[in-house]
Amino acid sequence: MKKNNHPVEGPDGLVYTARLPLSSATLNWLADLIRGHCKKIRSRWRALPAGKIAAIVLAVLRCDQRPGDLAGGNGIHRTTVTRWVREVVGLLAARAPRLDRALKKITRTGGGVVLLDGSLIRTRRRTGKENRKNYSGKSKCHGLLVIALTDDRGRLLWVSAARPGRTSEITACRHDRLTVRLRAAGLGAIADLGFVGLDDSSSDADPAVITGYKAARNRPLTRGQKLSNKALAAVRAPVEHGFAHLKNWRVLGKVRTDPKWATALVRALLVLTNREVSR
């Protein structure tokens, strides 16, 4: 007997229109970047124009839309969308500022202090011995640690490479030789209590990283130390705004791709975030 069971949504599926919460200036800038790249590599033909490709990539990054859903609505294959996303992320990541250049830029503009903080980007839980390093005992979840620097108004200046979640913030900063580069640029950094012990310079030198006071079990904080911690917390509050702008890109809600690709993804989103915030 022949079965005629058709899917409920029909043979072609349903297509809907959604709003992309980004400025047209960002879309046009990204489209021009794609056109320039296609001209550079002499790519004469694409399945869709550069403006449409830019909109699809931004939908994946901003709204975490599935490539398969976007492919079906635009008449292309899912792997084509994935290839476009990786290509654009690589172009954007190459434009991300390096640490030494970001510090020199702050020095040229007359700034003397940057804000330092770290954040965990959650990843999908994977089994296997090689993925145990991504589990963060502090946050009780799998993720990747990212260190960021912002100016005194919370604008992102630099983000580090994404490292396994079990890495401490101090270890990540020492891997990037952050205190050495801060001293070379003549800058100081304000950080939270998670960075206590990062600056291990001599007592005669000015501190490169300024943190608050930690209370011990048998040594509570004095009133002056509590007031100092409160003042530092007020100064470093804008760094949380910088991370909030970065995590507005919903693709970082839970990274489902290879963690090795997360560094390029975060740096690409840094470039897009600065375009959106500074417009």
Side-chain angles (χ1 to χ4, degrees):
M1 185 177 70
K2 184 177 180 181
K3 296 182 179 180
N4 295 320
N5 295 330
H6 299 288
V8 177
E9 65 273 12
D12 297 328
L14 298 176
V15 179
Y16 69 94
T17 303
R19 176 179 175 269
L20 188 60
L22 292 171
S23 64
S24 57
T26 301
L27 176 65
N28 295 333
W29 176 81
L30 187 58
D32 291 339
L33 184 64
I34 295 173
R35 292 188 191 97
H37 175 68
C38 292
K39 184 177 181 180
K40 182 179 179 180
I41 64 174
R42 298 182 180 180
S43 177
R44 298 182 179 179
W45 180 85
R46 291 287 174 100
L48 294 176
K52 194 70 174 179
I53 295 174
I56 290 174
V57 172
L58 290 175
V60 173
L61 299 178
R62 187 69 171 189
C63 303
D64 198 18
Q65 291 282 350
R66 299 299 185 270
D69 297 338
L70 292 171
N74 291 277
I76 53 180
H77 198 270
R78 178 187 59 82
T79 57
T80 302
V81 176
T82 303
R83 186 176 68 252
W84 286 344
V85 171
R86 290 187 174 269
E87 183 181 41
V88 173
V89 165
L91 292 174
L92 292 172
R95 291 174 168 263
R98 290 176 13 185
L99 177 56
D100 51 352
R101 294 180 181 176
L103 295 179
K104 289 180 180 178
K105 183 178 180 180
I106 290 294
T107 305
R108 286 196 304 268
T109 56
V113 174
V114 294
L115 306 180
L116 171 65
D117 201 2
S119 181
L120 190 77
I121 297 174
R122 296 191 63 181
T123 59
R124 186 173 59 181
R125 180 178 178 179
R126 287 184 170 90
T127 59
K129 185 177 180 180
E130 66 277 2
N131 292 304
R132 293 178 185 173
K133 60 184 179 181
N134 291 332
Y135 181 77
S136 171
K138 177 181 177 181
S139 302
K140 300 296 186 294
C141 63
H142 287 75
L144 299 170
L145 178 66
V146 173
I147 304 295
L149 291 177
T150 69
D151 60 8
D152 54 357
R153 290 192 288 177
R155 292 177 298 187
L156 288 166
L157 303 173
W158 169 81
V159 292
S160 69
R163 294 186 171 88
R166 71 180 182 186
T167 308
S168 68
E169 294 172 334
I170 294 179
T171 302
C173 291
R174 286 176 176 168
H175 188 276
D176 291 319
R177 301 174 67 245
L178 188 59
T179 55
V180 176
R181 297 185 178 186
L182 284 171
R183 291 185 186 281
L187 296 174
I190 298 178
D192 60 9
L193 296 180
F195 294 87
V196 173
L198 172 60
D199 191 3
D200 52 1
S201 59
S202 61
S203 58
D204 298 334
D206 294 332
V209 180
I210 304 171
T211 59
Y213 296 94
K214 256 185 182 180
R217 181 174 299 179
N218 57 351
R219 191 181 64 236
L221 296 179
T222 64
R223 184 173 180 273
Q225 290 173 338
K226 290 181 180 179
L227 291 176
S228 177
N229 285 351
K230 186 176 181 180
L232 283 176
V235 172
R236 61 170 301 276
V239 73
E240 305 294 344
H241 301 163
F243 270 116
H245 286 306
L246 185 64
K247 291 189 175 182
N248 277 337
W249 301 89
R250 297 178 187 174
V251 71
L252 294 180
K254 181 175 284 189
V255 179
R256 292 180 295 274
T257 57
D258 186 0
K260 295 181 180 179
W261 188 63
T263 297
L265 176 62
V266 173
R267 288 176 175 171
L269 296 181
L270 167 66
V271 176
L272 291 174
T273 300
N274 289 337
R275 295 287 308 183
E276 276 293 297
V277 172
S278 63
R279 63 185 175 87

PDB file of all heavy atoms in Angstrom, residues 194-210:
ATOM      1  N   GLY A 194      39.753  39.124  41.837  1.00  0.00           N
ATOM      2  CA  GLY A 194      40.252  37.924  41.174  1.00  0.00           C
ATOM      3  C   GLY A 194      41.653  38.079  40.622  1.00  0.00           C
ATOM      4  O   GLY A 194      42.296  37.081  40.273  1.00  0.00           O
ATOM      5  N   PHE A 195      42.147  39.325  40.569  1.00  0.00           N
ATOM      6  CA  PHE A 195      43.482  39.586  40.030  1.00  0.00           C
ATOM      7  C   PHE A 195      44.486  39.943  41.129  1.00  0.00           C
ATOM      8  O   PHE A 195      45.561  40.448  40.828  1.00  0.00           O
ATOM      9  CB  PHE A 195      43.415  40.718  39.011  1.00  0.00           C
ATOM     10  CG  PHE A 195      42.643  40.373  37.774  1.00  0.00           C
ATOM     11  CD1 PHE A 195      41.265  40.563  37.721  1.00  0.00           C
ATOM     12  CD2 PHE A 195      43.279  39.838  36.665  1.00  0.00           C
ATOM     13  CE1 PHE A 195      40.549  40.238  36.587  1.00  0.00           C
ATOM     14  CE2 PHE A 195      42.564  39.516  35.526  1.00  0.00           C
ATOM     15  CZ  PHE A 195      41.195  39.709  35.488  1.00  0.00           C
ATOM     16  N   VAL A 196      44.128  39.718  42.380  1.00  0.00           N
ATOM     17  CA  VAL A 196      45.060  39.969  43.477  1.00  0.00           C
ATOM     18  C   VAL A 196      46.257  39.019  43.351  1.00  0.00           C
ATOM     19  O   VAL A 196      46.091  37.808  43.235  1.00  0.00           O
ATOM     20  CB  VAL A 196      44.370  39.780  44.834  1.00  0.00           C
ATOM     21  CG1 VAL A 196      45.387  39.867  45.965  1.00  0.00           C
ATOM     22  CG2 VAL A 196      43.282  40.824  45.020  1.00  0.00           C
ATOM     23  N   GLY A 197      47.452  39.562  43.364  1.00  0.00           N
ATOM     24  CA  GLY A 197      48.661  38.764  43.201  1.00  0.00           C
ATOM     25  C   GLY A 197      49.203  38.751  41.793  1.00  0.00           C
ATOM     26  O   GLY A 197      50.276  38.186  41.561  1.00  0.00           O
ATOM     27  N   LEU A 198      48.503  39.383  40.854  1.00  0.00           N
ATOM     28  CA  LEU A 198      48.996  39.417  39.481  1.00  0.00           C
ATOM     29  C   LEU A 198      50.246  40.270  39.372  1.00  0.00           C
ATOM     30  O   LEU A 198      51.227  39.886  38.725  1.00  0.00           O
ATOM     31  CB  LEU A 198      47.904  39.938  38.548  1.00  0.00           C
ATOM     32  CG  LEU A 198      48.308  40.224  37.098  1.00  0.00           C
ATOM     33  CD1 LEU A 198      48.822  38.962  36.422  1.00  0.00           C
ATOM     34  CD2 LEU A 198      47.131  40.807  36.314  1.00  0.00           C
ATOM     35  N   ASP A 199      50.226  41.442  40.001  1.00  0.00           N
ATOM     36  CA  ASP A 199      51.371  42.352  39.944  1.00  0.00           C
ATOM     37  C   ASP A 199      52.342  41.994  41.071  1.00  0.00           C
ATOM     38  O   ASP A 199      52.129  42.356  42.231  1.00  0.00           O
ATOM     39  CB  ASP A 199      50.888  43.793  40.086  1.00  0.00           C
ATOM     40  CG  ASP A 199      51.987  44.797  39.780  1.00  0.00           C
ATOM     41  OD1 ASP A 199      53.092  44.355  39.406  1.00  0.00           O
ATOM     42  OD2 ASP A 199      51.729  46.010  39.902  1.00  0.00           O
ATOM     43  N   ASP A 200      53.382  41.263  40.735  1.00  0.00           N
ATOM     44  CA  ASP A 200      54.352  40.815  41.735  1.00  0.00           C
ATOM     45  C   ASP A 200      55.646  41.621  41.667  1.00  0.00           C
ATOM     46  O   ASP A 200      56.740  41.106  41.903  1.00  0.00           O
ATOM     47  CB  ASP A 200      54.669  39.329  41.554  1.00  0.00           C
ATOM     48  CG  ASP A 200      55.072  38.989  40.133  1.00  0.00           C
ATOM     49  OD1 ASP A 200      55.115  39.917  39.299  1.00  0.00           O
ATOM     50  OD2 ASP A 200      55.336  37.806  39.855  1.00  0.00           O
ATOM     51  N   SER A 201      55.537  42.905  41.316  1.00  0.00           N
ATOM     52  CA  SER A 201      56.719  43.752  41.214  1.00  0.00           C
ATOM     53  C   SER A 201      57.190  44.148  42.618  1.00  0.00           C
ATOM     54  O   SER A 201      56.537  43.877  43.631  1.00  0.00           O
ATOM     55  CB  SER A 201      56.411  45.000  40.390  1.00  0.00           C
ATOM     56  OG  SER A 201      55.354  45.732  40.996  1.00  0.00           O
ATOM     57  N   SER A 202      58.312  44.820  42.670  1.00  0.00           N
ATOM     58  CA  SER A 202      58.862  45.250  43.952  1.00  0.00           C
ATOM     59  C   SER A 202      58.000  46.349  44.563  1.00  0.00           C
ATOM     60  O   SER A 202      57.225  47.031  43.878  1.00  0.00           O
ATOM     61  CB  SER A 202      60.296  45.763  43.763  1.00  0.00           C
ATOM     62  OG  SER A 202      60.303  46.884  42.888  1.00  0.00           O
ATOM     63  N   SER A 203      58.149  46.522  45.871  1.00  0.00           N
ATOM     64  CA  SER A 203      57.331  47.506  46.580  1.00  0.00           C
ATOM     65  C   SER A 203      57.695  48.939  46.224  1.00  0.00           C
ATOM     66  O   SER A 203      56.907  49.857  46.448  1.00  0.00           O
ATOM     67  CB  SER A 203      57.478  47.301  48.088  1.00  0.00           C
ATOM     68  OG  SER A 203      58.848  47.410  48.470  1.00  0.00           O
ATOM     69  N   ASP A 204      58.903  49.174  45.675  1.00  0.00           N
ATOM     70  CA  ASP A 204      59.321  50.527  45.320  1.00  0.00           C
ATOM     71  C   ASP A 204      58.663  51.026  44.033  1.00  0.00           C
ATOM     72  O   ASP A 204      58.501  52.233  43.851  1.00  0.00           O
ATOM     73  CB  ASP A 204      60.842  50.583  45.167  1.00  0.00           C
ATOM     74  CG  ASP A 204      61.560  50.232  46.464  1.00  0.00           C
ATOM     75  OD1 ASP A 204      60.946  50.427  47.529  1.00  0.00           O
ATOM     76  OD2 ASP A 204      62.715  49.749  46.406  1.00  0.00           O
ATOM     77  N   ALA A 205      58.317  50.108  43.141  1.00  0.00           N
ATOM     78  CA  ALA A 205      57.742  50.499  41.856  1.00  0.00           C
ATOM     79  C   ALA A 205      56.245  50.756  41.990  1.00  0.00           C
ATOM     80  O   ALA A 205      55.574  50.205  42.865  1.00  0.00           O
ATOM     81  CB  ALA A 205      57.997  49.411  40.814  1.00  0.00           C
ATOM     82  N   ASP A 206      55.728  51.603  41.111  1.00  0.00           N
ATOM     83  CA  ASP A 206      54.288  51.855  41.078  1.00  0.00           C
ATOM     84  C   ASP A 206      53.564  50.607  40.583  1.00  0.00           C
ATOM     85  O   ASP A 206      54.018  49.951  39.642  1.00  0.00           O
ATOM     86  CB  ASP A 206      53.977  53.033  40.164  1.00  0.00           C
ATOM     87  CG  ASP A 206      54.535  54.343  40.707  1.00  0.00           C
ATOM     88  OD1 ASP A 206      54.670  54.453  41.938  1.00  0.00           O
ATOM     89  OD2 ASP A 206      54.860  55.230  39.881  1.00  0.00           O
ATOM     90  N   PRO A 207      52.424  50.275  41.173  1.00  0.00           N
ATOM     91  CA  PRO A 207      51.719  49.060  40.751  1.00  0.00           C
ATOM     92  C   PRO A 207      51.141  49.208  39.356  1.00  0.00           C
ATOM     93  O   PRO A 207      50.582  50.251  39.001  1.00  0.00           O
ATOM     94  CB  PRO A 207      50.616  48.906  41.806  1.00  0.00           C
ATOM     95  CG  PRO A 207      50.402  50.290  42.330  1.00  0.00           C
ATOM     96  CD  PRO A 207      51.742  50.965  42.281  1.00  0.00           C
ATOM     97  N   ALA A 208      51.278  48.148  38.542  1.00  0.00           N
ATOM     98  CA  ALA A 208      50.695  48.149  37.204  1.00  0.00           C
ATOM     99  C   ALA A 208      49.239  47.709  37.240  1.00  0.00           C
ATOM    100  O   ALA A 208      48.457  48.077  36.357  1.00  0.00           O
ATOM    101  CB  ALA A 208      51.493  47.234  36.277  1.00  0.00           C
ATOM    102  N   VAL A 209      48.865  46.914  38.242  1.00  0.00           N
ATOM    103  CA  VAL A 209      47.491  46.445  38.400  1.00  0.00           C
ATOM    104  C   VAL A 209      47.022  46.805  39.802  1.00  0.00           C
ATOM    105  O   VAL A 209      47.635  46.392  40.794  1.00  0.00           O
ATOM    106  CB  VAL A 209      47.385  44.923  38.173  1.00  0.00           C
ATOM    107  CG1 VAL A 209      45.946  44.463  38.356  1.00  0.00           C
ATOM    108  CG2 VAL A 209      47.886  44.552  36.785  1.00  0.00           C
ATOM    109  N   ILE A 210      45.950  47.579  39.884  1.00  0.00           N
ATOM    110  CA  ILE A 210      45.415  48.037  41.164  1.00  0.00           C
ATOM    111  C   ILE A 210      44.174  47.220  41.484  1.00  0.00           C
ATOM    112  O   ILE A 210      43.223  47.173  40.701  1.00  0.00           O
ATOM    113  CB  ILE A 210      45.071  49.530  41.103  1.00  0.00           C
ATOM    114  CG1 ILE A 210      46.301  50.347  40.681  1.00  0.00           C
ATOM    115  CG2 ILE A 210      44.537  50.024  42.432  1.00  0.00           C
ATOM    116  CD1 ILE A 210      45.991  51.799  40.391  1.00  0.00           C
TER     117      ILE A 210
END
